[in-house]
Amino acid sequence: MRRLLVLLVALAWPSGLAAQASIFGIRGPGLPGRPYSARAVSTSGSFALFDPESSLGPGSLGYVGVAAGTFTMVGDYRSVTTNAGSDKLSSTRFPQTMVTTPFLNGKFVAGLSASLYTNRDYAIVIVDTTTIFDQQVVQLDSIGSRGSLSDFRFAVAYRGLRQTTVGGGVHFISGAARQTIVRRFISDSGFASVVQRAEVAGSGIGLSIGA
């Protein structure tokens, strides 16, 4: 009876939800990537920690039986409507690539992967007023960023234990984002536009273990 009630609640849940955003996509390192295989993506990442083709749980590499290479492609299609008009956006990414192989009579499995750690692609337009020489001027600020951080992981799992696999991984994180800020004074063409560009790079090393 309880399972039936949960199913009815899920079916009655609203089909359309408001879009979500995060301040970490702009002020922090970026929106988290999805280092999932195609199978894990199809279940919204619900079992990615136990998926040997995803870059989350190093212990899950123990499920690999033969040498294999995989990659994931994700297509993003969006429509945006603002006061300035409407537009359709699309992008294609390859957030996960992995090569795995057993060795030492199959007791160990090694995996090398490259995945998207965080994404820092965004664009913001702000209209405001400012005072210049005792004159109110309407300004338009365009703030944009293009870049990401990548996670390169080397992991090894041991599956010689009874009904248990253990593993560990080393992560090398690196990437950069190119940021641009443009200020235009749209109410008075006598003021020149201001353009500022910067490049923010990041790198780090991490460790992961799993069983």
Side-chain angles (χ1 to χ4, degrees), residues 104-152:
L104 292 182
N105 297 324
K107 289 188 176 181
F108 291 86
V109 180
L112 181 64
S113 65
S115 59
L116 177 64
Y117 187 67
T118 59
N119 176 25
R120 293 211 67 189
D121 289 351
Y122 63 85
I124 303 174
V125 177
I126 302 173
V127 179
D128 201 354
T129 58
T130 186
T131 302
I132 301 178
F133 300 123
D134 298 329
Q135 178 182 352
Q136 288 288 330
V137 181
V138 180
Q139 65 185 35
L140 187 146
D141 294 337
S142 301
I143 307 171
S145 173
R146 292 293 182 270
S148 63
L149 291 176
S150 299
D151 179 11
F152 301 94

Side-chain angles (χ1 to χ4, degrees), residues 6 8 19 28 32-33 43-44 47 49-50 53 55 66-67 82 90 99 102 124-125 127 144-146 174 195 208:
V6 172
L8 292 176
T43 59
S44 299
F47 71 101
L49 280 172
F50 312 101
E53 297 177 355
S55 298
V66 296
T82 65
S90 63
V99 178
I124 303 174
V125 177
V127 179
S145 173
R146 292 293 182 270
S174 178
V195 180
S208 61

Side-chain angles (χ1 to χ4, degrees), residues 12-162:
W13 201 262
S15 59
L17 297 177
Q20 300 183 31
S22 172
I23 192 63
F24 296 106
I26 300 175
R27 299 296 297 275
L31 293 175
R34 296 192 295 176
Y36 307 151
S37 66
R39 180 173 59 175
V41 170
S42 65
T43 59
S44 299
S46 59
F47 71 101
L49 280 172
F50 312 101
D51 180 27
E53 297 177 355
S54 300
S55 298
L56 291 183
S60 62
L61 285 175
Y63 293 107
V64 174
V66 296
T70 61
F71 73 93
T72 305
M73 181 179 69
V74 177
D76 184 15
Y77 305 93
R78 294 170 292 168
S79 59
V80 180
T81 301
T82 65
N83 295 332
S86 302
D87 198 1
K88 294 183 178 180
L89 308 175
S90 63
S91 63
T92 302
R93 293 183 177 274
F94 299 90
Q96 170 73 4
T97 303
M98 176 178 286
V99 178
T100 57
T101 180
F103 64 100
L104 292 182
N105 297 324
K107 289 188 176 181
F108 291 86
V109 180
L112 181 64
S113 65
S115 59
L116 177 64
Y117 187 67
T118 59
N119 176 25
R120 293 211 67 189
D121 289 351
Y122 63 85
I124 303 174
V125 177
I126 302 173
V127 179
D128 201 354
T129 58
T130 186
T131 302
I132 301 178
F133 300 123
D134 298 329
Q135 178 182 352
Q136 288 288 330
V137 181
V138 180
Q139 65 185 35
L140 187 146
D141 294 337
S142 301
I143 307 171
S145 173
R146 292 293 182 270
S148 63
L149 291 176
S150 299
D151 179 11
F152 301 94
R153 186 193 75 166
F154 176 73
V156 176
Y158 175 67
R159 56 185 182 185
L161 303 176
R162 185 172 179 268

Side-chain angles (χ1 to χ4, degrees), residues 4-15:
L4 179 60
L5 180 61
V6 172
L7 179 61
L8 292 176
V9 171
L11 293 177
W13 201 262
S15 59

